[in-house]
Amino acid sequence: MLPRLRTALRRSFATQVPLEKDCTSITPPYNSLIQKLERVRKILNRPLTLAEKILYSHIIDPEASLSGNGRIRGEAYLQLRPERVAMQDASAHFKTVEELRPFRLQFMSAGLAQCDVPTSIHCDHLIQAIDGAESDLKRSIVSNQEVFDFLQSAAQKYGIEFWAPGSGIIHQIVLENYAAPGMLMLGTDSHTPNAGGLGMLAIGVGGADAVDAMTGTPWELKAPKVIGVHLTGQMNGWATPKDLILHLAGKLTVRGGTGSILEYYGPGVAAQSCTGLATIANMGAEVGATTSTFPYSKNMREYLKATGRSPVAAAADKAASQGFLSADEGAEYDDVIEINLSELEPTINGPFTPDLATPISQFGKFVKEQGWKDEFSAGLIGSCTNSSYEDMTSVADLARQAKAARLTTKVPFLCTPGSEQIRATIERDNVTSALEDVGALVLANACGPCIGQWKRTDQKEGENAILTSFNRNFKSRNDGNAKTMNFLASPTIVTAMAFSGKLSFNPMVDSIPLPSGEEFKFKAPSGQDLPTNGFIPGDNSYYPSPSPAPRPEVEVVIKPDSQRLEVLQPFTSPFDASSDKLELPPLKVLLRVRGKCTTDHISAAGPWLKYKGHLTNISENLLITAINDEGGEMNVAFDRDTNTSGTIPEVAKRFKARQQPWALVVDDNYGEGSAREHAALQPRFYGCHMILARSFARIHETNLKKQGVLPLWFTDKNDYSKIGSGDILETIGLSDVFAGKPDASVTVKVTKLDGTVFEIPTKHTMSADQLKWLKAGSALNYIRSIKN
């Protein structure tokens, strides 16, 4: 058995981070990438964007992927070789690895001895916030010991770097330790693009996609379009990088970046800190973007040096001098968005969607118009989006201003450091004490309330508002209360407003009355990008050994009666092996889903995270907050065979018991949000083989394909309302698609309950390789077949 993980925090000030880490495994192979790019240039013969340079230089065979004189961006499927994979404990997706555990189980079931690329596991999603860092971490390690032991043993067996619980949030750790300009990496979390702050392409995927990279299987991606975001001017006063992305989310909406990379350029980029750029890239996920990136800058170089990666900075300097880490002059974008940073003001987004953007000067009016109470119940700062040293020193400046006026926060004020390195450094530099002096509760270095790991007792049911510096604000996400309105803002705006307790408070112009009768007004905050005395690592026992060798003798133990871990059984192919026709069997419609249906709706997080490694148990939450369009009720499905109704999981289980394969009909941007792979695994587990949508979110559509579910798009979105529960759907033309016939398409034959029959046209996005996954029953089945 493995030794028990430590059950108490050790607060310590270790020595300053060494000037140079071992950067062998984290320095991109710039020479070979630049050589590959020269092959690409000969094929395309045009100026390239930065995103294209990085992506296309990782193509396995440029001639095969790019030749043919056809359109590349938005059309061609690329076979790519990523350089790194990062996974989190609740995700082998949960973001994609939101199902880190299922993901590890998938990798193990592929029968491989070690990873083909450097890989890391991060224990950040399972630590619940209750009363403070030390007790929360200790309690969570005890309650999740079985899972952590499993992950640690799997990491040892396959040579994976294991970041223990308490080490920090995956995205902050990747930025501090692994990210490098020009790199291509995958992460099983939708906010993996955070690492784009270091001028790379970091892409959130499902666990099955991560398996591709880990097993050395070519990873396939449809070449994204490239949206240029041209930044001019200079931020002033209270404006921050968080406000830039909140503003952009309002312009693009949650679907505006789908199928695209956001590439920022222009004179406004260079002045931004590396961690500020990471904040912007992080929330690109909220507009559906594949990822975001920026040209290599002086601030990136200084951040690399400050975090012990001088060799990476030196190599990047050389690559930049050869034109690799910036766009070519004359490069064309599919669209260009102009933003003058001098005109940017703090912005507050929400509730219930990250793209409802309101400038702070208008927010008080907005609150009044909506009839909401002019109050909020909690302020929360930190998370993977905003927990940098710059963020923390900026809010500490406000805290010191308030303390001098003898003010404390009017509402609970929770602070989450992004990593043990940040935690130790801000504690040394008296940032933590400045926050605690005015009422802050410092939580463990983990995701906590941002992803629903918040045991909140004061607002279980009633309508209330919270202000956070998080990235996502769907209903029920943070505290399980569907009536909690989460408004997203910068850490400095959240902090300043916490001293007022009013939603209408604008710290740029408003004052707070003091007991003396005087008025207090905040000055614009001032933060520090990098610590003057350097970062310190804190508790070194959290950190893994770099590039560990696989230990095949280590036993990965899963208890037969475990309620937390379950070995995944392969899904079977839906196709009749004895037939020459590759059409799906007749599928009964389970329900028609109305409106916004995120991966949080399909597979809730919060308390359900403990079952991420047990597909049978977690499938009990399938679509439990989705709205049935036939009647408008939440978590209700109709069983037309028995003329009864039940919860959605109940009826899905009935279908499975009857061996009745089924389908879903869904609305626009289905699967928006987290890269949560369980949102694809769970319907497949219960027997779903096809989903008809007005449109899909990128990661979720790929996750469905990986698990052997056919995603189809309505050609005419009005056809959505023509199909109802109990109808039978049959594919026509799927055989032609499998056969590779030119212009082949899939028509869906609909047989209504009253016997009426009609056909509707659809569009598919299946590539040749994705069709192999569908035919095999899942991508994992196909990988296993070719590896064996």
Side-chain angles (χ1 to χ4, degrees):
M1 295 293 293
L2 291 168
R4 305 290 284 181
L5 290 169
R6 121 190 111 266
T7 58
L9 278 171
R10 290 200 299 260
R11 298 302 193 190
S12 62
F13 295 142
T15 57
Q16 185 172 328
V17 170
L19 290 179
E20 292 188 7
K21 298 175 182 176
D22 180 356
C23 296
T24 305
S25 68
I26 60 176
T27 305
Y30 290 121
N31 289 338
S32 62
L33 293 177
I34 292 171
Q35 290 173 9
K36 182 74 67 70
L37 188 60
E38 289 306 310
R39 292 167 58 188
V40 171
R41 289 188 183 283
K42 291 178 181 179
I43 300 168
L44 299 182
N45 193 30
R46 62 172 171 79
L48 299 174
T49 67
L50 170 61
E52 288 180 303
K53 289 183 180 181
I54 300 174
L55 193 66
Y56 298 169
S57 65
H58 288 85
I59 294 175
I60 295 171
D61 185 345
E63 288 75 16
S65 291
L66 302 177
S67 296
N69 297 319
R71 179 173 171 80
I72 304 300
R73 300 198 305 228
E75 299 291 341
Y77 280 91
L78 310 178
Q79 299 286 316
L80 301 160
R81 184 79 71 193
E83 292 156 17
R84 176 169 289 277
V85 171
M87 304 177 288
Q88 40 105 324
D89 56 348
S91 200
H93 106 89
F94 159 162
K95 226 147 266 72
T96 318
V97 144
E98 256 191 345
E99 289 118 40
L100 187 249
R101 301 192 295 284
F103 170 72
R104 290 298 317 127
L105 294 168
Q106 291 182 56
F107 177 73
M108 290 164 57
S109 65
L112 300 175
Q114 68 181 83
C115 299
D116 194 72
V117 298
T119 302
S120 56
I121 291 175
H122 304 262
C123 297
D124 61 355
H125 274 61
L126 298 179
I127 300 169
Q128 188 177 45
I130 302 177
D131 50 25
E134 293 205 30
S135 59
D136 289 349
L137 181 57
K138 181 177 180 180
R139 184 185 308 108
S140 295
I141 288 176
V142 171
S143 63
N144 295 294
Q145 188 77 52
E146 176 187 4
V147 174
F148 293 146
D149 282 349
F150 165 75
L151 293 174
Q152 186 178 35
S153 63
Q156 290 177 336
K157 188 177 187 71
Y158 298 109
I160 295 171
E161 295 189 11
F162 178 79
W163 292 79
S167 59
I169 305 172
I170 177 174
H171 310 304
Q172 182 71 22
I173 291 176
V174 167
L175 191 72
E176 292 175 351
N177 294 274
Y178 298 133
M183 178 185 285
L184 174 64
M185 72 163 283
L186 306 183
T188 57
D189 190 285
S190 59
H191 292 109
T192 296
N194 186 83
L198 261 171
M200 59 181 288
L201 296 185
I203 300 177
V205 297
D209 273 7
V211 169
D212 284 349
M214 292 172 68
T215 59
T217 303
W219 176 62
E220 184 175 77
L221 176 73
K222 178 183 279 190
K225 296 180 180 180
V226 185
I227 297 175
V229 184
H230 186 223
L231 302 183
T232 58
Q234 184 175 355
M235 290 184 188
N236 298 300
W238 288 78
T240 69
K242 180 63 167 280
D243 299 302
L244 168 59
I245 189 60
L246 291 173
H247 170 74
L248 185 60
K251 294 173 71 73
L252 281 174
T253 79
V254 292
R255 298 197 296 270
T258 302
S260 300
I261 293 174
L262 299 180
E263 180 173 317
Y264 296 77
Y265 68 102
V269 174
Q272 308 308 312
S273 67
C274 177
T275 52
L277 297 180
T279 294
I280 297 168
N282 179 293
M283 277 197 67
E286 277 25 270
V287 299
T290 302
T291 192
S292 301
T293 195
F294 309 84
Y296 183 56
S297 68
K298 176 180 179 294
N299 286 339
M300 292 181 192
R301 178 189 304 115
E302 295 308 312
Y303 184 77
L304 285 168
K305 291 179 178 179
T307 51
R309 291 173 287 174
S310 293
V312 177
D317 286 345
K318 182 177 179 181
S321 70
Q322 299 176 67
F324 181 56
L325 298 178
S326 59
D328 289 335
E329 185 175 350
E332 295 185 0
Y333 297 94
D334 294 282
D335 193 10
V336 173
I337 299 172
E338 297 282 351
I339 298 179
N340 184 346
L341 299 178
S342 301
E343 300 173 354
L344 191 67
E345 69 171 290
T347 300
I348 300 177
N349 288 29
F352 306 136
T353 186
D355 60 349
L356 181 57
T358 307
I360 195 169
S361 60
Q362 302 298 315
F363 191 67
K365 178 183 177 183
F366 177 59
V367 170
K368 186 175 181 179
E369 290 173 346
Q370 300 303 313
W372 295 324
K373 293 180 181 179
D374 188 13
E375 63 185 34
F376 62 100
S377 58
L380 301 95
I381 63 171
S383 83
C384 66
T385 319
N386 282 109
S387 55
S388 67
Y389 188 80
E390 182 178 34
D391 290 327
M392 295 298 108
T393 53
S394 295
V395 299
D397 179 53
L398 295 175
R400 293 186 181 105
Q401 292 183 44
K403 182 182 177 182
R406 298 184 179 181
L407 289 174
T408 57
T409 57
K410 295 286 183 63
V411 296
F413 183 53
L414 284 64
C415 173
T416 306
S419 68
E420 172 62 4
Q421 177 170 283
I422 291 295
R423 195 279 312 164
T425 305
I426 64 173
E427 189 170 324
R428 179 202 64 190
D429 294 348
N430 298 316
V431 171
T432 304
S433 59
L435 297 176
E436 292 176 333
D437 285 348
V438 295
L441 175 66
V442 178
L443 301 175
N445 313 320
C447 299
C450 185
I451 51 92
Q453 289 286 28
W454 183 17
K455 190 175 182 180
R456 193 181 187 196
T457 58
D458 62 321
Q459 296 284 347
K460 291 186 176 181
E461 296 180 355
E463 182 176 285
N464 72 105
I466 61 175
L467 282 167
T468 81
S469 68
F470 303 162
N471 45 37
R472 199 159 277 165
N473 58 354
F474 303 139
K475 285 184 179 181
S476 304
R477 180 176 177 88
N478 304 111
D479 60 5
N481 179 1
K483 295 182 180 179
T484 294
M485 299 183 291
N486 178 357
F487 294 96
L488 307 173
S490 70
T492 46
I493 290 297
V494 174
T495 301
M497 292 179 71
F499 289 97
S500 166
K502 293 183 177 181
L503 288 174
S504 63
F505 180 71
N506 179 355
M508 297 176 65
V509 297
D510 294 339
S511 299
I512 299 174
L514 300 175
S516 64
E518 297 179 320
E519 298 284 323
F520 168 76
K521 185 174 181 293
F522 284 107
K523 298 178 182 177
S526 176
Q528 190 174 341
D529 179 9
L530 300 171
T532 301
N533 296 318
F535 289 106
I536 57 173
D539 188 344
N540 285 301
S541 65
Y542 289 123
Y543 294 72
S545 300
S547 305
R551 294 171 53 189
E553 74 280 6
V554 172
E555 182 181 3
V556 180
V557 179
I558 302 175
K559 295 187 295 186
D561 60 347
S562 174
Q563 296 302 301
R564 302 290 301 275
L565 299 169
E566 177 183 47
V567 176
L568 294 179
Q569 299 302 317
F571 296 130
T572 58
S573 172
F575 297 101
D576 184 353
S578 63
S579 173
D580 292 334
K581 283 198 170 184
L582 292 173
E583 303 289 347
L584 288 174
L587 308 173
K588 188 180 293 290
V589 176
L590 177 67
L591 80 157
R592 187 172 71 227
V593 178
R594 176 187 297 178
K596 182 186 283 284
C597 191
T598 71
T599 50
D600 280 87
H601 292 84
I602 307 167
S603 176
W608 290 94
L609 285 174
K610 62 178 175 286
Y611 296 125
K612 285 288 186 178
H614 199 291
L615 186 55
T616 299
N617 285 345
I618 198 171
S619 294
E620 294 288 342
N621 77 4
L622 177 67
L623 290 160
I624 58 175
T625 57
I627 302 299
N628 189 329
D629 193 49
E630 297 175 282
E633 294 180 282
M634 179 186 295
N635 194 24
V636 172
F638 303 109
D639 184 349
R640 303 300 186 183
D641 291 347
T642 60
N643 290 320
T644 61
S645 63
T647 68
I648 295 172
E650 285 173 352
V651 178
K653 284 191 287 185
R654 293 182 203 174
F655 282 19
K656 182 177 182 179
R658 296 173 195 155
Q659 297 184 326
Q660 171 61 64
W662 51 273
L664 285 175
V665 176
V666 298
D667 218 320
D668 265 316
N669 208 30
Y670 181 72
E672 167 192 348
S674 296
R676 202 161 301 168
E677 189 176 44
H678 279 97
L681 282 164
Q682 290 171 218
R684 181 71 166 91
F685 175 70
Y686 280 145
C688 179
H689 288 291
M690 183 172 73
I691 297 181
L692 271 167
R694 281 176 163 162
S695 64
F696 289 95
R698 176 191 64 86
I699 296 176
H700 187 61
E701 183 182 25
T702 301
N703 286 345
L704 290 171
K705 294 175 180 179
K706 289 281 186 176
Q707 301 307 332
V709 178
L710 175 64
L712 293 177
W713 300 54
F714 286 107
T715 301
D716 181 350
K717 291 187 177 183
N718 292 322
D719 287 339
Y720 159 87
S721 59
K722 295 179 181 179
I723 305 173
S725 59
D727 292 349
I728 299 297
L729 307 184
E730 298 173 76
T731 59
I732 301 172
L734 184 57
S735 285
D736 292 339
V737 174
F738 273 112
K741 293 184 179 179
D743 301 321
S745 62
V746 179
T747 299
V748 174
K749 175 183 174 183
V750 182
T751 303
K752 302 290 291 182
L753 290 170
D754 63 4
T756 303
V757 178
F758 58 90
E759 296 178 1
I760 59 173
T762 69
K763 297 177 291 185
H764 77 86
T765 59
M766 303 291 289
S767 70
D769 282 334
Q770 291 166 354
L771 288 167
K772 295 173 184 176
W773 308 339
L774 181 64
K775 183 177 180 181
S778 73
L780 185 60
N781 289 351
Y782 177 68
I783 290 175
R784 186 185 297 110
S785 70
I786 61 175
K787 293 294 181 181
N788 293 336

